[in-house]
Amino acid sequence: MGFIALIDAGAGNLRSAVRALLAAGAADVRVTGDPALVRAADRIVLPGQGAFAACMAGLAREDLHAALEHTVRTQGRPFLGICVGMQVLAARGLEHGETAGLGWIGGDCRLLQAGAERLPHIGWNQATPARAHPVLDALAPSAFVYFAHSYVLDGEAGAAWTEHGERFASAVARDNILGVQFHPEKSQRVGLALLARFLSWRP
Amino acid sequence: MLTIRIIPCLDVKDGRVVKGVQFANLVDAGDPAEQAALYDAQCADEVCFLDISASQDGRGTLLDSVRRTADRCFTPLTVGGGVRAVEDVRALLLAGADKAAINTAAVARPALIDECAARFGAQCIVVAIDAKETAPGRWEIFTHGGARASGIDAVAFAIEAAERGAGELLVTSMDRDGTKTGYDIALLQAITSRVRTPVIASGGAGTLAHLVEAVREGGASAVLAASIFHFGTYTLDQARRALAGAGAPVRTV
């Protein structure tokens, strides 16, 4: 039986993510920044709070970045990025200057154009899947999930959409890579259902 | 559309939920982890855990109590009390908090807001403002659990906190706290009209109409209440229905 590597990039609410994954049915979740463990993991979850640059700096430690590239991109193991863990899938982050991202999805991570709405975007809002997806189907047709962010991943790659002043990508998906802007670990029943689908996902 | 949040607040002293009137005369209202589990089951939009003994007694936040509480809910949890440094926020997050509320320390040294926002992101940092009306249309901040006047204007400080990177402002009227006579709408208006940051209304909720008022007239993004939920006066469902009935967006659960 394999395990899930929950990546510790230095600023996340890791305990919440661990508890939610266990409640969703995971047998073994290891919080780690150890490249060897990342390479051995069945699935990778990158939770994230904090700034884009801080998260990328956390991933740059001790060849962690190389281990992630290998496990996710070469081996094709299922990857879930949460919040900033989704944003770093961009090619560039534009929060406090320009920072290179992982680039696995592409596009820019830029400030949400909230218009007359308040910022940060904090609270429960609806995420509507753009198409069928084995994991994101947990949101269909349009579930309330919990958001806490000011930046969004800009691009064409929306796999789910949400409105707050503008329509932004609340999820992105490509092959074995999935990113969600909201917090499934804090989205009660819907969030746990989404995590359970991620755990049995065979992309 | 982003919905209005209804947030039950656990005021915790020495590991027990307490509720007082105007920050004094505390009565026991149970175990925080048990209470949090009940609110999780009722689909609270968030739960707020404030360790009200931390600043007064000079002790750190009760991390163990936070851990037990976080373990019982899949609901976003804000924890405040005794946060003095960036590392205190990190410790709260590791214990299971999703957001940290800073009060006394941010008033004493506002740069702490910048430091915490830079490290954890603005969305993680709540600045708690305890205000008392000292003249008509003027509110002053009190710190150390409401025990000490700061001489600082609450509205000016709210603007500064937002500029420094506070993700939310938790605005408590000390005049109204525990009185069940309604939120201080003028205080909420004074702040929500001047900042773009979400504001959580706190202090004074006694009826469901008060929740509606805070949103419709006060411009609050979230309503926080303690006694009306702890003592079973109203359920969260009743609160949701009251807000929805008044045209405020709420989550369907």
Side-chain angles (χ1 to χ4, degrees):
Chain A
M1 188 71 186
F3 64 91
I4 312 228
L6 187 72
I7 308 299
D8 181 5
N13 58 342
L14 303 173
R15 196 180 169 88
S16 298
V18 172
R19 285 189 47 254
L21 284 163
L22 292 173
D28 189 356
V29 181
R30 304 191 194 172
V31 176
T32 184
D34 177 357
L37 270 181
V38 169
R39 285 169 190 269
D42 267 6
R43 289 166 200 275
I44 307 282
V45 177
L46 176 62
Q49 279 192 339
F52 189 102
C55 185
M56 283 307 296
L59 297 182
R61 291 170 315 181
E62 305 164 50
D63 288 334
L64 180 54
H65 188 163
L68 284 169
E69 288 280 348
H70 173 79
T71 311
V72 179
R73 303 261 273 172
T74 310
Q75 305 277 49
R77 308 239 171 91
F79 172 92
L80 174 63
I82 298 172
C83 196
V84 178
M86 160 176 161
Q87 294 176 357
V88 295
L89 297 172
R92 306 189 294 174
L94 304 178
E95 182 180 0
H96 310 304
E98 191 178 318
T99 312
L102 292 171
W104 295 352
I105 295 286
D108 287 341
C109 174
R110 49 106 181 137
L111 196 65
L112 176 65
Q113 303 299 308
E117 304 294 335
R118 293 183 183 268
L119 209 63
H121 175 226
I122 295 182
W124 295 79
N125 201 337
Q126 281 170 298
T128 308
R131 56 178 185 273
H133 182 282
V135 180
L136 298 175
D137 283 352
L139 303 172
S142 201
F144 279 103
V145 283
Y146 187 79
F147 291 87
H149 66 115
S150 299
Y151 285 78
V152 292
L153 205 170
D154 192 8
E156 302 306 308
W161 298 99
T162 295
E163 284 281 337
H164 186 67
E166 67 168 329
R167 193 182 80 140
F168 67 90
S170 44
V172 290
R174 181 179 298 159
D175 305 326
N176 59 316
I177 295 165
L178 180 64
V180 292
Q181 181 58 67
F182 54 87
H183 288 272
E185 78 281 16
K186 285 286 148 182
S187 294
Q188 297 171 349
R189 200 174 55 230
V190 171
L192 295 180
L194 185 141
L195 292 175
R197 283 170 172 271
F198 172 72
L199 293 173
S200 59
W201 185 32
R202 305 257 166 234
Chain B
M1 183 189 237
L2 184 65
T3 52
I4 297 296
R5 286 167 286 154
I6 303 167
I7 309 176
C9 180
L10 312 173
D11 290 318
V12 180
K13 189 172 169 62
D14 304 324
R16 297 288 291 176
V17 179
V18 294
K19 185 61 213 172
V21 175
Q22 291 165 323
F23 287 35
N25 303 319
L26 304 172
V27 293
D28 195 293
D31 176 64
E34 292 299 324
Q35 288 275 4
L38 286 174
Y39 292 131
D40 184 62
Q42 287 191 49
C43 290
D45 293 319
E46 290 182 12
V47 169
C48 184
F49 179 121
L50 296 180
D51 180 13
I52 59 171
S53 50
S55 288
Q56 282 170 342
D57 304 352
R59 289 179 289 115
T61 312
L62 307 173
L63 290 177
D64 189 55
S65 195
V66 172
R67 238 173 251 128
R68 287 196 312 112
T69 302
D71 278 351
R72 296 295 295 276
C73 60
F74 295 106
T75 298
L77 181 66
T78 298
V79 182
V83 173
R84 289 180 184 77
V86 168
E87 282 316 306
D88 296 330
V89 173
R90 169 80 171 152
L92 287 176
L93 297 182
L94 288 176
D98 299 288
K99 299 188 267 189
I102 320 173
N103 171 325
T104 299
V107 175
R109 196 173 70 81
L112 180 61
I113 302 168
D114 307 63
E115 293 165 16
C116 291
R119 171 82 185 270
F120 306 104
Q123 81 295 329
C124 198
I125 305 303
V126 180
V127 171
I129 296 173
D130 294 334
K132 223 181 240 187
E133 190 164 22
T134 49
R138 257 196 72 83
W139 294 268
E140 185 180 335
I141 292 187
F142 281 67
T143 60
H144 297 80
R148 228 179 267 180
S150 69
I152 295 169
D153 181 77
V155 177
F157 183 76
I159 294 166
E160 180 182 353
E163 282 167 357
R164 285 181 179 274
E168 290 176 281
L169 303 172
L170 168 54
V171 178
T172 303
S173 161
M174 295 188 54
D175 302 307
R176 301 299 182 89
D177 186 65
T179 63
K180 300 185 185 175
T181 55
Y183 298 99
D184 187 336
I185 300 300
L187 169 64
L188 290 172
Q189 282 171 343
I191 293 177
T192 57
S193 62
R194 288 174 177 83
V195 299
R196 279 193 74 202
T197 309
V199 169
I200 305 165
S202 162
T207 68
L208 299 178
H210 292 151
L211 307 183
V212 172
E213 220 173 59
V215 174
R216 297 286 303 271
E217 291 165 45
S221 299
V223 286
L224 181 140
S227 343
I228 63 166
F229 297 132
H230 296 338
F231 299 116
T233 318
Y234 300 105
T235 64
L236 288 169
D237 250 335
Q238 288 174 309
R240 272 189 287 267
R241 266 182 266 135
L243 283 166
V250 291
R251 180 163 67 115
T252 45
V253 297

